[in-house]
Amino acid sequence: MRVAAKTDVGQVRQHNEDCYSVGELPNGVAWAVICDGMGGAAAGNIASQTAAKMIAETISASYQEQMGSRSIKHLLVSAVDNANTRIFDLSLANETLAGMGTTVVAAIVSPQTACIAHAGDSRAYLFSGGEMLQLTKDHSVVQTMLDAGQITEDEARTHPRKNLITRAVGVGEQLDVDYCEQELRQGDILLICTDGLTNCVDLEQIHALVRDGGFASCAESLVNVANENGGLDNVTVVAIAND
């Protein structure tokens, strides 16, 4: 496994409320977590850093060789649940942190399978055999409208409510965490990102940059293009190549 990652404040924001962490596990397994915080003052930064740190520590401490997919699912969902409880408790204990939260995508990736837990509108994509597949579905107002047939894909891209999410880590006592698994082939690339990428770079360009630009530079190239296209938000990209 090879991992490439980059985060940037963008061209508009004063602070970077995105946070990520990556690492390696036995037998060629890699892991990554990416968070996009929200909340007033420094609250979004605290939420994203707390979630990323807690989930990273849980994966590192709890993962065991030869874990089956059911155990990995339990590990990831429990890690996100625990982060949710911690962030929610912090927001109740300190009024300056009230309402803070963060998106999350957390992945454990073996040569055979990508196991992914997520909440919010940060995303995971698979690049395989020249194709690009979105693995996660946004928890957002616009996605709900799209699913109901109230708007089209084109309308969703520029909808004024596109940044309103319906799930986030830490905003409530309970969190419904989505989980998915994806079989992998040699040469596949898993990409996880915050919406600072997908709101500034269209999917066709993301696909082309990953397909044609080479893995080593893809994270940096994607962040650079997001900034060239306005850098309207913090942007973070983590790519994992199944070599």
Side-chain angles (χ1 to χ4, degrees):
M1 292 288 179
R2 288 185 293 156
V3 180
K6 186 174 178 62
T7 187
D8 192 88
V9 69
Q11 302 298 303
V12 175
R13 307 284 189 182
Q14 296 298 310
H15 306 285
N16 192 349
E17 295 187 335
D18 287 0
C19 188
Y20 77 89
S21 188
V22 299
E24 297 180 354
L25 297 164
N27 295 332
V29 176
W31 62 268
V33 56
I34 195 169
C35 297
D36 179 358
M38 61 185 188
N45 186 52
I46 291 171
S48 63
Q49 288 189 359
T50 299
K53 183 175 185 291
M54 287 187 66
I55 294 167
E57 289 175 347
T58 299
I59 292 173
S60 298
S62 302
Y63 180 84
Q64 299 178 19
E65 295 183 48
Q66 309 306 322
M67 259 188 165
S69 59
R70 181 178 297 181
S71 296
I72 292 175
K73 176 181 179 180
H74 178 74
L75 189 164
L76 287 172
V77 173
S78 296
V80 176
D81 279 338
N82 291 339
N84 183 75
T85 299
R86 176 60 175 161
I87 294 167
F88 183 67
D89 287 348
L90 286 172
S91 71
L92 294 180
N94 186 336
E95 63 180 16
T96 66
L97 303 179
M100 72 174 176
T102 181
T103 70
V104 66
V105 179
I108 294 177
V109 186
S110 74
Q112 295 78 36
T113 311
C115 301
I116 302 164
H118 83 104
D121 61 355
S122 295
R123 295 178 180 176
Y125 291 94
L126 174 69
F127 297 83
S128 180
E131 300 297 324
M132 174 180 173
L133 173 67
Q134 184 174 332
L135 301 179
T136 56
K137 178 181 281 192
D138 293 351
H139 303 131
S140 68
V141 170
V142 165
Q143 185 65 55
T144 300
M145 297 171 67
L146 188 60
D147 290 343
Q150 297 171 349
I151 58 174
T152 66
E153 289 277 3
D154 286 341
E155 290 170 333
R157 292 189 185 98
T158 57
H159 198 280
R161 303 179 71 192
K162 68 180 300 181
N163 292 325
L164 296 180
I165 58 176
T166 55
R167 293 187 213 175
V169 180
V171 299
E173 191 170 2
Q174 302 293 326
L175 175 65
D176 185 10
V177 182
D178 273 3
Y179 175 84
C180 65
E181 294 180 12
Q182 177 65 43
E183 291 186 4
L184 299 181
R185 299 183 296 179
Q186 188 172 8
D188 287 355
I189 295 173
L190 178 74
L191 183 140
I192 61 177
C193 62
T194 58
D195 67 345
L197 177 69
T198 51
N199 285 341
C200 286
V201 186
D202 63 46
L203 298 183
E204 292 79 9
Q205 193 170 15
I206 293 173
H207 188 191
L209 285 166
V210 175
R211 182 189 62 218
D212 303 331
F215 174 79
S217 62
C218 71
E220 183 170 4
S221 296
L222 289 166
V223 170
N224 288 344
V225 171
N227 281 328
E228 290 168 5
N229 291 350
L232 303 177
D233 199 356
N234 311 144
V235 54
T236 303
V237 175
V238 176
I240 301 174
N242 185 20
D243 291 337

